[in-house]
Amino acid sequence: MNTKTTVIEQAELEKQYAFCDKISAYWQGENRVPTAYVETYGCQQNEADSEKLRGYLSQSGYTIVAEAEGADVVVMNTCAIREHAEQRVFGNLGALTHTKRRHPEQKIFLCGCMAGEAGVSERIRKSYPHVDGVFSTHHLWQFPEILWNVLSEGKRQFYIADEAGSIAEGIPQIRDSSLKAWVSIMYGCNNFCTYCIVPYVRGRERSRKKEDILQECRSLIASGVKEITLLGQNVNSYGKDLEENVDFSDLLAEIAAIPGDFLIRFMTSHPRDAGKKLFDTMASSPKIAKQLHLPFQSGSSRVLKAMNRHYDREHYLSLVEYAKRVMPDLVLTSDVIVGFPGETAEEFEETLTLIAAVRFDALFTFIFSPRVGTPAAQMDDPTPKEEKNRRFDRLCALQNSISEEIHKAYIGKTLRCLIDGSDEEYLTARTEGGRLVRLKGDSSRIGTFANVTITASNTWSLTGTLAETEA
Ligand code: SAH
Ligand code: SF4
Ligand code: F3S
């Protein structure tokens, strides 16, 4: 495997734009406007990648549509994090045989994290002959070339070389929202938590240059974007691989200094690398949302060690204590895994006591899923599935009651929210901490900040009314 990060030269990207032009010309020759559908699985990183796939497709003359049926191109941008995610993809991929039968010229691609997994491309080669191309995240920047090869040669394309990863600036993007934007600040991961497939499928940690990120943020803000979410598997190690002397807190402070009325969020933080400087930087700027997603994974120091997380229970608790001290209104969310191989009943209780002590606003809860090629998949796992399910249910019940109580305490408070959309009869908004609020109001308010008085709550969300005061 090539272990060096490559920066894709502008000249290489120009070649990809030239492929976009060839594809456009091909469809002009066919005398019709082709359509494309991109389906995204997994995390925000994949959402951000799908915006680039749509950008390339649009530059190649395609109209983006909302379903696979009848589309000239279907791209499945996949997630490999848990087995369940993969089963869904294989199920949906199988179902595409029918759409392709009805529209035989349809070209089907599979990309994203599963495409970089050992064995997946072989399985597709053998058992999914209707798939025209497979490319891993390392090859996303070459999508126009891959698509052109399929169209012009009619042969299946596999771009799955295992690489450390690259950085390509300037891929066109069709963003899902004109109000909120994802900005990847780094790619890949070096942590190799023993349960996790991400470092194998997304390559080594590599940071974008600070100036490229600032430039992107400036232009987003100038175009009216009100919320920017910085993305990375471990944003706290931003900059470690760069020549310039910059860390994540420095980057945050510089983005916050861009003039304009906007909020910055970020994810994900790793408790090993997050610390006082980050929390002080957050506390010092009104433009940095007081929201922190800080996965703890387990409340047991023994399990954390087996997970290769490089912090223990006490360290995690001390981080949270400091963060809440400097940001009293902090909204704290986390990820937790139940049933890691060898987790004992007592160790699971430690997870519950940590949750009770921290009182997270919300938790993303997962049952351990063995991933082929990761160390944890080889570990002894004597706990029966039924027991893991019981633990999971207890954990969820505890967290639900905490979330419900925290949400109840919002009632009567007036909070500055960004009104970001509507669902049926309500406008939807997010508090600075990222909690969902539903409220009655005119859709002309979408895209503005407003003060909202909270009138009711449940485990998952808040209900409110527009306050008289200007936000
Ligand atoms: N980079 C982020 C998270 C990426 S994956 C971080 O380090 O926090 C999102 C979450 O999925 C992880 O935090 C973890 O809780 C969960 N996860 C990852 N691999 C898993 C596996 N094999 N089984 C169950 N949950 C897993
Ligand atoms: Fe996976 Fe750990 Fe990297 Fe997060 S930090 S992506 S959990 S290896
Ligand atoms: Fe899934 Fe890849 Fe994200 S495995 S969670 S889509 S980094």
Side-chain angles (χ1 to χ4, degrees):
M1 172 172 134
N2 164 16
T3 54
K4 207 172 148 284
T5 297
T6 342
V7 174
I8 307 300
E9 299 290 335
Q10 203 49 39
E12 287 297 317
L13 275 170
E14 301 285 340
K15 285 189 199 157
Q16 297 303 320
Y17 306 151
F19 282 115
C20 293
D21 293 343
K22 280 188 181 178
I23 298 165
S24 263
Y26 169 88
W27 287 109
Q28 271 162 16
E30 296 284 304
N31 226 345
R32 70 184 183 88
V33 177
T35 56
Y37 170 65
V38 179
E39 183 151 312
T40 314
Y41 300 79
C43 67
Q44 291 81 358
Q45 190 63 68
N46 261 16
E47 299 280 352
D49 285 349
S50 286
E51 293 183 342
K52 292 181 181 162
L53 292 164
R54 292 192 189 99
Y56 266 149
L57 283 162
S58 169
Q59 195 159 322
S60 307
Y62 288 80
T63 297
I64 308 299
V65 292
E67 59 169 5
E69 188 67 54
D72 296 297
V73 164
V74 175
V75 187
M76 308 275 267
N77 190 9
T78 64
C79 171
I81 201 82
R82 283 169 291 275
E83 198 183 346
H84 178 71
E86 290 197 4
Q87 280 165 351
R88 263 183 66 213
V89 170
F90 278 120
N92 292 349
L93 204 55
L96 287 179
T97 49
H98 306 294
T99 65
K100 190 152 178 167
R101 204 168 295 141
R102 288 188 286 267
H103 182 39
E105 320 82 278
Q106 184 170 69
K107 304 296 178 208
I108 299 174
F109 298 87
L110 181 135
C111 65
C113 293
M114 272 172 73
E117 234 186 313
V120 167
S121 61
E122 273 317 297
R123 184 166 166 191
I124 299 220
R125 245 185 247 271
K126 287 206 192 93
S127 314
Y128 295 81
H130 61 300
V131 174
D132 298 281
V134 178
F135 54 99
S136 66
T137 59
H138 300 313
H139 297 282
L140 185 146
W141 68 275
Q142 290 165 297
F143 178 45
E145 172 184 334
I146 298 168
L147 176 53
W148 173 250
N149 288 348
V150 166
L151 287 174
S152 61
E153 293 171 19
K155 273 204 227 122
R156 307 175 85 192
Q157 302 289 316
F158 290 82
Y159 280 53
I160 46 167
D162 190 8
E163 289 176 9
S166 55
I167 292 192
E169 294 292 346
I171 298 181
Q173 265 165 292
I174 303 267
R175 296 192 185 261
D176 289 343
S177 156
S178 53
L179 198 60
K180 301 173 168 198
W182 310 118
V183 173
S184 296
I185 62 165
M186 59 198 298
Y187 306 98
C189 183
N190 283 353
N191 286 318
F192 290 95
C193 302
T194 52
Y195 50 80
C196 185
I197 192 90
V198 172
Y200 303 90
V201 294
R202 282 205 174 257
R204 295 292 61 71
E205 210 162 79
R206 50 212 190 270
S207 305
R208 289 177 67 197
K209 286 203 191 95
K210 186 182 76 180
E211 198 41 51
D212 290 332
I213 299 169
L214 286 172
Q215 196 46 47
E216 184 173 348
C217 292
R218 280 188 214 113
S219 92
L220 287 168
I221 292 157
S223 74
V225 163
K226 296 277 180 270
E227 186 185 293
I228 289 177
T229 303
L230 307 177
L231 297 179
Q233 294 300 341
N234 175 13
V235 290
N236 311 110
S237 54
Y238 172 78
K240 284 184 184 164
D241 57 325
L242 290 175
E243 276 171 23
E244 59 187 321
N245 186 14
V246 56
D247 69 10
F248 181 58
S249 302
D250 304 331
L251 177 71
L252 263 185
E254 288 207 40
I255 299 172
I258 300 173
D261 191 10
F262 62 93
L263 262 187
I264 311 164
R265 305 185 192 279
F266 56 89
M267 65 192 308
T268 295
S269 286
H270 192 299
R272 180 187 63 182
D273 304 308
K276 288 186 177 169
K277 182 173 175 190
L278 172 66
F279 303 146
D280 291 342
T281 306
M282 290 172 73
S284 70
S285 171
K287 289 191 197 165
I288 306 175
K290 305 298 172 276
Q291 176 195 17
L292 184 65
H293 184 63
L294 192 66
F296 73 100
Q297 313 296 4
S298 167
S300 150
S301 295
R302 206 248 352 131
V303 173
L304 287 170
K305 197 164 185 3
M307 288 176 164
N308 194 33
R309 289 289 288 180
H310 294 280
Y311 57 87
D312 60 12
R313 176 189 176 96
E314 285 63 41
H315 181 71
Y316 189 86
L317 289 171
S318 72
L319 280 180
V320 168
E321 191 270 324
Y322 185 85
K324 285 188 170 177
R325 180 142 47 86
V326 295
M327 293 175 281
D329 292 330
L330 181 70
V331 167
L332 186 64
T333 57
S334 196
D335 295 345
V336 55
I337 297 176
V338 171
F340 185 78
E343 177 193 72
T344 64
E346 293 73 32
E347 286 163 347
F348 172 66
E349 294 299 326
E350 289 189 82
T351 292
L352 295 185
T353 57
L354 187 140
I355 292 170
V358 173
R359 294 180 63 78
F360 296 100
D361 292 76
L363 266 184
F364 297 88
T365 52
F366 308 105
I367 294 185
F368 170 74
S369 171
R371 308 311 296 129
V372 173
T374 63
Q378 309 287 327
M379 293 177 188
D380 256 2
D381 192 4
T383 311
K385 197 166 166 276
E386 297 68 35
E387 169 59 17
K388 291 190 182 189
N389 287 341
R390 272 195 297 275
R391 290 180 191 174
F392 186 75
D393 291 345
R394 274 185 68 201
L395 188 153
C396 293
L398 170 64
Q399 180 56 43
N400 288 349
S401 71
I402 295 171
S403 292
E404 198 180 330
E405 281 166 25
I406 293 178
H407 278 169
K408 215 173 244 164
Y410 279 97
I411 295 175
K413 289 189 179 161
T414 298
L415 305 166
R416 188 171 191 255
C417 297
L418 176 63
I419 302 182
D420 60 3
S422 58
D423 66 1
E424 292 164 11
E425 54 184 313
Y426 288 102
L427 294 180
T428 56
R430 293 274 167 182
T431 67
E432 187 184 320
R435 310 316 295 151
L436 173 64
V437 187
R438 290 198 170 80
L439 67 154
K440 286 266 194 296
D442 193 88
S443 59
S444 63
R445 295 301 299 260
I446 294 173
T448 62
F449 286 100
N451 283 333
V452 178
T453 304
I454 306 302
T455 53
S457 72
N458 62 31
T459 309
W460 317 110
S461 67
L462 308 167
T463 309
T465 53
L466 281 170
E468 298 291 316
T469 51
E470 286 279 311

